[in-house]
Amino acid sequence: MHAAAEELRLLISSGYPLLYLLTHEESRARALVAEATGSLALDFNQWSLTGGPEAAGPPGSADALLRSLRHAGPGVTLLIDFHHYLADPEVLRLLRDLAACWPRNRHTAIILAPVLAIPPDLEKDLALFELGLPSPAELAPLLAEACTAHELRMDRPTADAVLRAAQGLTADEARRVFSKALRVAGRLARGAAGRGKKPGGVDAGGPDAGGPDAGGAQAKPPGVALYEQVVEEKRQSVRKSELLEYLPLDEDLSRVGGLGEVKRWVQGRARAFAPEAARYGLPAPKGLLLIGVQGCGKSLMAKAVAAAWRLPLTRLDLAAVFGSASAETAIRRATRLAESLAPVVLWIDEVEKGFYDAEAGGATNAGRVFGSFVTWLQEKRVPVFVVATANEVASLPPELLRKGRFDETFFIDLPDAHERRDILAVHLSKRGRDPDRFDLEALARKTDYFSGAELEQGVISGMYRAFAENREVTGADIGKELGAIVPLYETFEERIKALRQWASTRARPASRDRSLADLFE
């Protein structure tokens, strides 16, 4: 018996009168409930608002159904999309009455829903069962079925790679993407064969293979096409979710000025996700919490970490989580989606704003959403590396700072003179200018208390000044524009000092203090 069906069987046989089955996969859930009830020799019935796709007419009302179940014998009734009725006080009362009847009638009602919407009235009477996404072993028969239908013999390494890539898709999504990719691959192979070229091969073709295509360039073997199509489908899943955003890897550590200690930490774990790290006995890194002054490179570093480790980069939108119909369901869906992309870097920007009211309960379900999130941070067993950034430490819930949530907490301060020089050089190089043509030492000395973002703006404004006069930019142009900027420090000096004081005993500095070395230069 499947593990999920065995768990359902255990809940039913243990006397749980009400179950809440959380999943988007309705057909898979029905099959699992049928398997669990079949093993217990119990009657199994289903109810939905329409009666199902093959119903001859509309079913009875929800309240009439619940009244009848109080007098039913031993069995299980699956209530499909019944969460829509849980706002009705009469339905809630009938469900609680049904739960009270279980010792007499031994009948279990299972609410099947894609979102979590358990009213407080039912919390003590109802058990939650979340159906996880299919494992590679569960997806293997679907891949074999698709390969048979398309007359493809796929070698084991290729099949394993495709199944690993398909983790995170529902069974229906996997079935469709397998069929689509194999149809495309077959069409390309037939086109290449029709022109007398050797098709990419239907027996082999792992993710690294190649071959001529119908257009005369390189035809991808079916295994390659299938692998890439699965990866693209997962990207589409991220885009559809509205909770995660897939970001390009357009930054790297060389384009981050300063922050030497963070860079060393990241570079020291460059092989952390390789198989040899696990064989050595090392766990995968959990994440970084970057706290500091606005505009000093926290977000840039999050992007650079993903590029340095060659991992996909996604961003979690906490505003979308709390703006969804069920924030608890949304955070579960977002973390599960991130796990399906693993190994991956998950960036959470300004995390303190998302969970500002977690302790006070000021946002809807904020405390429970935050609790679910920090538990996931602590307990996750898949390589999702979380980079969270924060500007306001006073707004951070203390549970987020506890050891075990993140591997390290770094404080990112305003850059010193050495770092300001590096930052200016980075932004000039990024825009096609040779930093050696500019007196960066002088510019760095004149920009005490400037953030990295303010230094970048000075470079851009200086270039606009020169561009408007149809000439090449000079250090004087940049110096004039920097002189016109009022740094954030001037406005928020007290707040920045308080942040430094907090970080002095609670976080690791992101940069090495070089002031003592400067005295001997």
Side-chain angles (χ1 to χ4, degrees), residues 280-301:
Y280 193 79
L282 290 171
K286 287 189 173 184
L288 285 177
L289 179 58
L290 304 178
I291 297 172
V293 183
Q294 294 181 29
C296 287
K298 298 185 296 296
S299 299
L300 180 62
M301 180 55 73

Side-chain angles (χ1 to χ4, degrees), residues 178-192:
F178 291 160
S179 179
K180 175 184 175 183
L182 289 171
R183 285 177 185 276
V184 171
R187 187 170 65 244
L188 291 175
R190 288 191 297 272

Side-chain angles (χ1 to χ4, degrees), residues 9-94:
R9 179 184 182 279
L10 181 62
L11 289 171
I12 294 168
S13 61
S14 298
Y16 284 87
L18 301 176
L19 300 178
Y20 196 107
L21 181 51
L22 179 63
T23 180
H24 279 272
E25 299 186 85
E26 187 174 303
S27 59
R28 183 165 163 247
R30 287 176 174 178
L32 286 170
V33 176
E35 183 180 356
T37 54
S39 68
L40 293 168
L42 291 173
D43 289 339
F44 173 41
N45 297 292
Q46 303 177 55
W47 182 95
S48 71
L49 177 63
T50 62
E54 299 178 2
S61 65
D63 57 338
L65 169 74
L66 295 177
R67 292 179 195 279
S68 68
L69 291 182
R70 290 184 301 183
H71 307 288
V76 172
T77 299
L78 186 64
L79 308 174
I80 300 169
D81 292 336
F82 207 78
H83 60 293
H84 295 299
Y85 296 90
L86 298 182
D88 185 337
E90 183 179 2
V91 168
L92 289 179
R93 183 64 261 172
L94 287 168

Side-chain angles (χ1 to χ4, degrees), residues 104-222:
R104 174 174 52 80
N105 67 6
R106 305 269 171 172
H107 199 94
T108 299
I110 302 178
I111 298 171
L112 175 60
V115 298
L116 188 63
I118 301 175
D121 311 53
L122 294 180
E123 284 184 352
K124 300 301 182 182
D125 297 305
L126 183 150
L128 172 64
F129 181 78
E130 186 172 1
L131 180 59
L133 291 166
S135 67
E138 294 174 272
L139 295 176
L142 304 181
L143 178 59
E145 178 185 323
C147 289
T148 300
H150 293 273
E151 299 180 348
L152 172 70
R153 296 183 302 278
M154 187 173 292
D155 61 76
R156 177 54 64 88
T158 302
D160 288 344
V162 170
L163 291 171
R164 283 196 303 272
Q167 270 192 284
L169 299 177
T170 67
D172 287 338
E173 285 174 329
R175 185 181 291 109
R176 289 191 290 264
V177 74
F178 291 160
S179 179
K180 175 184 175 183
L182 289 171
R183 285 177 185 276
V184 171
R187 187 170 65 244
L188 291 175
R190 288 191 297 272
R195 294 201 320 278
K197 296 184 177 182
K198 180 183 177 183
V202 295
D203 290 330
D208 297 323
D213 73 359
Q218 287 292 314
K220 294 169 182 173

Side-chain angles (χ1 to χ4, degrees), residues 27 41 49-50 128 281 287 303 327 333 347 349-350 368 393 445 474 476 485 494 500 516:
S27 59
L49 177 63
T50 62
L128 172 64
K303 299 175 183 178
R333 193 165 74 246
W347 171 33
D349 197 25
E350 297 186 347
R368 286 191 288 186
V393 293
R445 287 194 300 270
T474 66
I485 293 175
E494 293 304 317
R500 286 172 172 168
L516 185 60

